[in-house]
Amino acid sequence: MGQNLKLDQEKLKILNRQNILNIIRNSKEISRGDLTEKTGLSPTTVSTITNELMENNMIAEICVGESSGGRKPIIFGLNKHAKYVITIRLTYRGAILDLVDMECNPIYRKEFKEYLDNEIKVRKMISTCLENIMSDFSENVERIVGIGISVPGVIDYKDNLVIYSSRLHLSNFDMGDAVRSVIDKKTYIFKDTDSMILGEYYFGEGREYKDLVYILVENGIGMSYVNSGKLFRLPRGGFELGHTTITSTGPKCQCGSVGCLGMLVSEMPALLRLNELIKEGMETSFSQASNLNYIDIIRASNNDDKASRQVIEEQAEKLGIGMANIVNLLNPELIIIGGPLIYSKWDLISCIKKSIKKHALEPYTDKLNIKFSKFGHESSPLGMANFILEDEVFIPINI
Ligand SMILES: [Zn+2]
């Protein structure tokens, strides 16, 4: 009995400490008096906990506040340099390495450009990234609470395994082991779009929503889903929107099927379609499409290039069909579109909406919001860092 009571008190102390830390984080600056009021704890308990958090350097007295008569109140704030997260965004073109502080500000960045198309190169890239941090921040390695790695491909996030990545030419690649061979820190791997939806959900277009979908349209199509405020993940992949069938004909996909959404909407299909229109003699400033990128076609569509505009409008119609399927299945409040399409300056979203309305259930489309991503690829380090901080430092509690 006595033992249980002691355990409960110990648990309560941890919860109170966590609650105070989270409140200080969310309020940016707060006085001891306001902390007492917000938590309903005794001033003595609040003092004990804030003293302990100061001793651990998690918080600091940031200034002495305005006095309303009597002693001036002490204002607490987070010591943002108490903990750090490393994030690495892997693409087939290389890696972007960030060190992110406790307020989710990236404070250090390095970009490594090298084509990553096999296991050895990916392993070496992970080592290079981590060794850079360890030499440039040698005195702060202790403060690193976790390492987030975003990967284009199918992942097993529980075992830190890349099950398959056609972009990086990986299969059953043990990312946890690649990290462990350099540094002993907890590793979190994310599908690329998972890191992006998290960044938008915490800080960007998704902040006001609890049920949202992120669709990345660039070299193929990716998708992620936040359900009731939580990243929805399946243990071994899923949400392969790019391989959902939207027509029974069309070019053959590498997955073996035909009519896959990713084969009809994204960079390569846009280039192929533009070439067709050029051959048909449609008005355009381009003489051929082979050396262009998706973004070139989108920019040209902004400048009244007829063929480019036609290509993107056709893609909007097809993307709308793919999105209507998501709307019918998940009924999200918001769909965020990422990738080069966000640089279109005409009413592309209206085109997509029109197509969705044609194909999805009306009660679901009425309240549906569609937005372009706020941060683009920059949402990736933000999303990973905040996710890891909430798992390691600012663990949400329900009292
Ligand atoms: Zn496919």
Side-chain angles (χ1 to χ4, degrees), residues 242-244 252-263:
H243 295 291
T244 56
K252 194 163 183 177
C253 179
Q254 57 172 357
C255 74
S257 179
V258 292
C260 290
L261 182 63
M263 290 300 286

Side-chain angles (χ1 to χ4, degrees), residues 306-364:
K306 276 214 167 61
S308 300
R309 180 70 171 254
Q310 167 93 15
V311 169
I312 303 300
E313 278 181 5
E314 286 174 8
Q315 293 214 338
E317 160 78 23
K318 287 169 187 148
L319 184 59
I321 297 173
M323 283 164 73
N325 291 332
I326 293 170
V327 171
N328 283 341
L329 287 171
L330 303 175
N331 187 18
E333 302 167 279
L334 168 71
I335 299 180
I336 299 174
I337 297 171
L341 291 177
I342 67 171
Y343 297 108
S344 69
K345 291 196 166 66
W346 43 282
D347 53 355
L348 174 60
I349 284 187
S350 305
C351 280
I352 295 170
K353 265 190 187 156
K354 222 163 93 187
S355 170
I356 295 175
K357 270 193 174 297
K358 246 196 309 192
H359 301 284
L361 291 181
E362 205 176 308
Y364 293 179

Side-chain angles (χ1 to χ4, degrees), residues 266-267 269-279 281-289 292-316 341 344 346 348 351:
S266 66
E267 180 169 78
L271 299 178
L272 294 172
R273 181 66 181 134
L274 181 65
N275 245 350
E276 275 175 19
L277 294 178
I278 291 169
K279 278 185 194 144
M282 194 170 202
E283 199 185 310
T284 172
S285 54
F286 299 120
S287 56
Q288 53 142 338
L292 298 177
N293 294 316
Y294 205 15
I295 185 75
D296 301 320
I297 303 179
I298 290 150
R299 288 213 174 101
S301 79
N302 291 337
N303 298 327
D304 286 333
D305 186 280
K306 276 214 167 61
S308 300
R309 180 70 171 254
Q310 167 93 15
V311 169
I312 303 300
E313 278 181 5
E314 286 174 8
Q315 293 214 338
L341 291 177
S344 69
W346 43 282
L348 174 60
C351 280

